[in-house]
């Protein structure tokens, strides 16, 4: 049976949430944040996860290996605001067992 | 003053279908939308993507669904106030409403149906400290009238389709077009990228990449921009700055209308008719919330239908209405057209 993993997410108010994420539901990090309601409705996942809005931008805080960035994600981040070298789009990061222990912080809303 | 039976705020799929259901009940609709086109999220966010869960359509492009909804409601002649945001609402003594837009257009209606989805789409504004001061003084987030830029110097910022398309279009209108983008690669359609490349070669577009607009200069109007490239900042003279970084929906002014709001959505009475806490104001589609709410097009259609029945009873108290099937009773448009199933040809057998 697929195992849940643990992800630590700092919300936009600075509150840290340690959440359990299922690895068998084809979820991504943006959807994980939405399912735990870590950001108000309408402020995250606006484009539905198409790498077109950057509302799901987050900063990766530890060195858990994430999948390579694809062209769409890179292009969107090049237009987004508050971008840092450790920025990723949550919707482009699928939840897999390799992400266990990941720590992220949601970027400010823009 | 625009007058109507139902004033719908939001021309997304929910608002559009509400016009049809209202039309069947002989109720007139007028729709306000902040965007220049109808279709809401379908037109703004994913027009070229297929939707697979509209009953009866194994697959339909979002843009095509909007076109079909527009075709379906044509006969009910809805009015549209596009490119304007519903800003304020006043309830009159007789229980009717006046809704005024940000441009001052007034609408008088017997009831108001908010079908505002995630909210009105507003431009994403670059993080330049004094940008608010220059709005309408040289900073334009939309190109509403290209003539504004005739023979002027303009700087466009962004890397998507809008930035490319407007750079191409305005290259023939403005005296000087500069396109600034943080990367050398653009996110737009290939032929637009190639066209910009060609116009650059012809000297009709100045391309500054990878670079960013970091400051605005000017006494009362934009006079120049600070553009930073590889940690070096240069000032270039311009009359207009057009940042095109996409749109983001904001519930906006509706949040101040005294409606009960929960999790950025308007609470409604779903056991009955999707009315809000204010008598005569309904909320349908993605903008509302109730136990078990799902933000799906299908659900918006259902809510629009029940809402219209309630509005009918409200506007025609005591008048009986019997649910009719369009297959049997046809559809009478306000434009005098009539749609009905073809009569079966009965032929005598000799
Ligand atoms: C990428 C993506 C894919 C999707 N795929 C599906 C799918 O497969 N199936 C499905 O059923 N659903 C899907 N959805 C959800 C679907 O798009 C929404 O449920 C639907 O658009 C809601 O329609 P609506 O008319 O309620 O609101 P919207 O489509 O959001 O339209 C609301 C309109 O109201 C306007 N507005 C808001 N406030 C104001 C104001 N104050 N003044 C003027 N105008 C205002 C806005 O500008 C907007 O045009 C998807 C959504 C996204 C983002
Ligand atoms: S949800 Fe829009 S970019 Fe991730």
């Amino acid at each position: 049976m697929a195992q849940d993993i643990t992800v630590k997410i700092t919300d936009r108010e600075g509150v840290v949430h340690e959440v359990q994420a299922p690895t068998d539901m084809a979820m991504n990090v943006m959807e994980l944040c939405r399912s735990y309601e870590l950001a108000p409705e309408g402020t995250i996942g606006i484009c539905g996860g198409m790498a077109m809005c950057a509302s799901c931008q987050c900063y990766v805080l530890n060195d858990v290996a994430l999948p390579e960035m694809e062209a769409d994600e890179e292009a969107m981040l090049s237009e987004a605001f508050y971008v840092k070298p450790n920025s990723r789009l949550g919707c482009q990061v699928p939840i897999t067992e390799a992400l266990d222990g990941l720590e992220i912080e949601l970027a400010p809303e823009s | 003053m625009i007058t109507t039976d139902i004033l719908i705020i939001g021309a997304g799929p929910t608002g559009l279908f509400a016009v049809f259901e209202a039309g069947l009940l002989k109720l007139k609709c007028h729709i306000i939308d902040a965007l220049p086109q109808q279709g809401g999220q379908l037109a703004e966010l994913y027009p070229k993507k297929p939707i697979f869960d509209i009953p009866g359509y194994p697959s339909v492009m979002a843009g095509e669904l909007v076109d079909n909804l527009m075709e379906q409601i044509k006969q009910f002649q809805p009015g549209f106030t596009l490119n304007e945001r519903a800003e304020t609402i006043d309830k009159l003594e007789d229980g009717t409403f006046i809704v005024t837009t940000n441009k001052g257009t007034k609408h008088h209606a017997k009831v108001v149906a908010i079908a505002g989805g995630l909210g009105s789409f507003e431009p994403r504004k670059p993080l330049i400290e004094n940008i608010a001061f220059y709005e309408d003084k040289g900073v334009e987030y939309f190109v509403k009238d290209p003539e504004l830029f005739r023979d002027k110097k303009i700087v466009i910022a962004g890397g998507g389709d809008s930035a490319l398309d407007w750079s191409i279009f305005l290259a023939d209108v403005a005296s000087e077009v500069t396109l600034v983008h943080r990367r050398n690669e653009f996110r737009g359609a290939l032929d637009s990228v190639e066209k910009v490349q060609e116009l650059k070669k012809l000297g009709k577009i100045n391309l500054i990449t990878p670079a960013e607009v970091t400051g605005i200069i000017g006494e009362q109007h934009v006079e120049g921009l600070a553009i930073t490239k590889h940690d070096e900042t240069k000032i270039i003279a311009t009359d207009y700055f057009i940042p095109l970084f996409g749109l983001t929906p904001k519930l906006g002014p509706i949040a101040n209308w005294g409606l009960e709001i929960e999790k950025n959505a308007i609470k409604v009475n779903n056991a009955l008719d999707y009315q809000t806490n204010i008598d005569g104001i309904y909320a349908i589609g993605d903008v509302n919330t109730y136990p078990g709410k799902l933000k799906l097009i299908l659900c918006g259609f259902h809510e629009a239908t029940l809402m219209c029945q309630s509005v009918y009873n409200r506007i025609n108290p005591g008048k009986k209405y019997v649910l009719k099937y369009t297959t049997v009773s046809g559809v009478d448009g306000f434009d005098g057209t009539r749609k009905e199933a073809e009569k079966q040809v009965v032929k005598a057998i000799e």
Side-chain angles (χ1 to χ4, degrees):
Chain A
M1 211 189 87
Q3 289 267 250
D4 281 3
I5 59 163
T6 305
V7 181
K8 244 189 213 175
I9 304 168
T10 306
D11 67 22
R12 291 178 180 139
E13 259 80 59
V15 181
V16 181
H17 306 260
E18 194 173 288
V19 301
Q20 297 300 305
T23 53
D24 59 351
M25 288 181 68
M27 253 195 183
N28 59 48
V29 168
M30 175 274 281
E31 290 162 345
L32 180 70
C33 296
R34 288 189 64 168
S35 67
Y36 282 97
E37 299 182 3
L38 301 185
E41 236 344 89
T43 66
I44 183 166
I46 289 164
C47 74
M50 294 191 299
M52 277 176 55
C53 70
S55 65
C56 63
Q57 186 193 167
C58 52
Y59 307 124
V60 178
L61 304 178
N62 61 354
D63 58 4
V64 167
L66 296 188
E68 286 274 302
M69 219 188 262
E70 301 220 6
D72 282 354
E73 183 177 357
E74 210 175 312
M76 185 64 243
L77 281 172
S78 75
E79 275 200 272
F81 307 137
Y82 304 110
V83 176
K84 296 183 189 175
N86 58 344
S87 286
R88 290 296 301 255
L89 295 179
C91 67
Q92 302 303 302
V93 180
I95 293 179
T96 61
E97 286 175 24
L99 259 55
D100 196 22
L102 175 70
E103 293 180 26
I104 56 164
E105 180 188 348
L106 297 183
E109 195 192 338
S110 61
Chain B
M1 175 112 68
I2 292 162
T3 55
T4 188
D5 292 322
I6 309 180
L7 179 71
I8 300 170
I9 297 169
T14 306
L16 295 179
F17 190 64
V19 175
F20 182 81
E21 287 297 321
L24 292 181
L25 300 169
K26 309 267 178 285
L27 301 170
K28 276 289 275 180
C29 293
H30 187 93
I31 308 193
I32 304 179
D33 205 296
L35 293 172
Q37 82 279 335
Q38 294 91 349
Q41 293 171 50
L42 281 66
E44 189 53 42
L45 298 175
Y46 60 111
K48 300 259 159 57
K49 298 263 177 202
I51 308 174
F52 300 105
D53 55 350
I54 302 296
Y57 281 98
S59 157
V60 59
M61 290 292 196
E64 194 189 333
L65 181 62
V66 173
D67 292 346
N68 288 350
L69 284 163
M70 288 298 291
E71 177 63 29
Q72 192 172 20
I73 64 173
K74 204 163 70 183
Q75 62 206 312
F76 294 123
Q77 301 176 307
F80 287 100
T81 301
L82 295 178
N83 239 328
E84 297 188 30
R85 188 180 59 222
E87 198 83 10
T88 59
I89 189 161
D90 294 297
K91 194 168 187 175
L92 305 184
E93 266 177 21
D94 63 357
T96 62
F97 298 89
I98 303 240
V99 172
T100 310
T101 67
N102 58 328
K103 298 205 183 131
T105 313
K106 288 193 183 301
H107 306 77
H108 181 216
K110 292 179 184 145
V111 301
V112 172
I114 303 173
L118 302 170
S120 67
F121 281 88
E122 309 285 332
R124 290 174 65 231
K125 303 180 179 183
L127 309 169
I128 300 172
E129 212 180 305
N130 53 358
I131 194 160
F133 173 79
Y134 293 102
E135 287 170 5
D136 296 325
K137 296 178 198 149
V139 169
E140 301 285 334
Y141 298 109
F142 295 100
V143 181
K144 288 169 208 145
D145 176 12
E147 282 307 308
L148 180 67
F149 309 108
R150 178 151 312 269
D151 301 327
K152 300 280 193 258
K153 289 182 181 171
I154 63 166
V155 174
I156 294 178
D161 279 314
S162 308
L164 292 165
D165 293 348
W166 282 118
S167 298
I168 297 166
F169 186 88
L170 293 173
D172 283 333
V173 177
S175 63
E176 199 177 294
V177 175
T178 303
L179 175 59
V180 182
H181 180 38
R182 263 193 243 160
R183 303 191 333 150
N184 299 322
E185 297 81 24
F186 284 80
R187 208 160 46 91
L190 188 63
D191 54 340
S192 311
V193 178
E194 283 170 359
K195 184 90 190 146
V196 167
Q197 175 83 49
E198 191 186 310
L199 289 167
K200 183 196 165 190
K201 275 194 199 137
L202 293 171
K204 295 189 89 176
I205 291 178
N206 309 319
L207 201 57
I208 312 185
T209 59
E212 203 170 346
V213 176
T214 47
I216 307 175
I217 298 140
E219 286 279 307
Q220 284 309 313
H221 193 275
V222 172
E223 290 169 22
L225 297 178
I227 296 178
T228 308
K229 181 173 175 169
H230 302 309
D231 291 332
E232 204 180 300
T233 301
K234 280 198 182 134
I235 306 290
I236 73 159
T238 189
D239 301 307
Y240 285 97
F241 174 36
I242 313 173
L244 298 173
F245 292 102
L247 302 174
T248 185
K250 295 259 182 287
L251 197 51
I254 291 175
N256 308 321
W257 286 7
L259 298 160
E260 237 180 296
I261 307 261
E262 189 182 276
K263 292 182 188 160
N264 257 345
I266 302 169
K267 268 176 100 170
V268 290
N269 173 358
N270 77 306
L272 205 59
D273 54 6
Y274 304 99
Q275 206 161 171
T276 66
N277 60 315
I278 302 181
D279 191 38
I281 304 185
Y282 296 76
I284 50 174
D286 275 16
V287 80
N288 76 13
T289 185
Y290 51 81
K293 167 73 184 177
L294 288 180
K295 293 189 178 189
L296 288 174
I297 297 165
L298 168 84
C299 302
F301 289 168
H302 166 79
E303 292 165 14
T305 309
L306 297 196
M307 184 268 300
C308 287
Q309 295 288 331
S310 170
V311 173
Y312 178 86
N313 291 326
R314 185 188 169 86
I315 294 181
N316 303 290
K319 201 166 161 186
K320 280 268 171 287
Y321 174 79
V322 182
L323 176 77
K324 289 182 182 150
Y325 295 126
T326 54
T327 323
V328 181
S329 56
V331 178
D332 289 309
F334 296 161
D335 54 0
T337 57
R338 174 159 180 79
K339 285 191 180 139
E340 59 187 329
E342 268 181 47
K343 295 273 178 304
Q344 294 282 336
V345 180
V346 181
K347 213 172 170 192
I349 302 172
E350 282 158 25

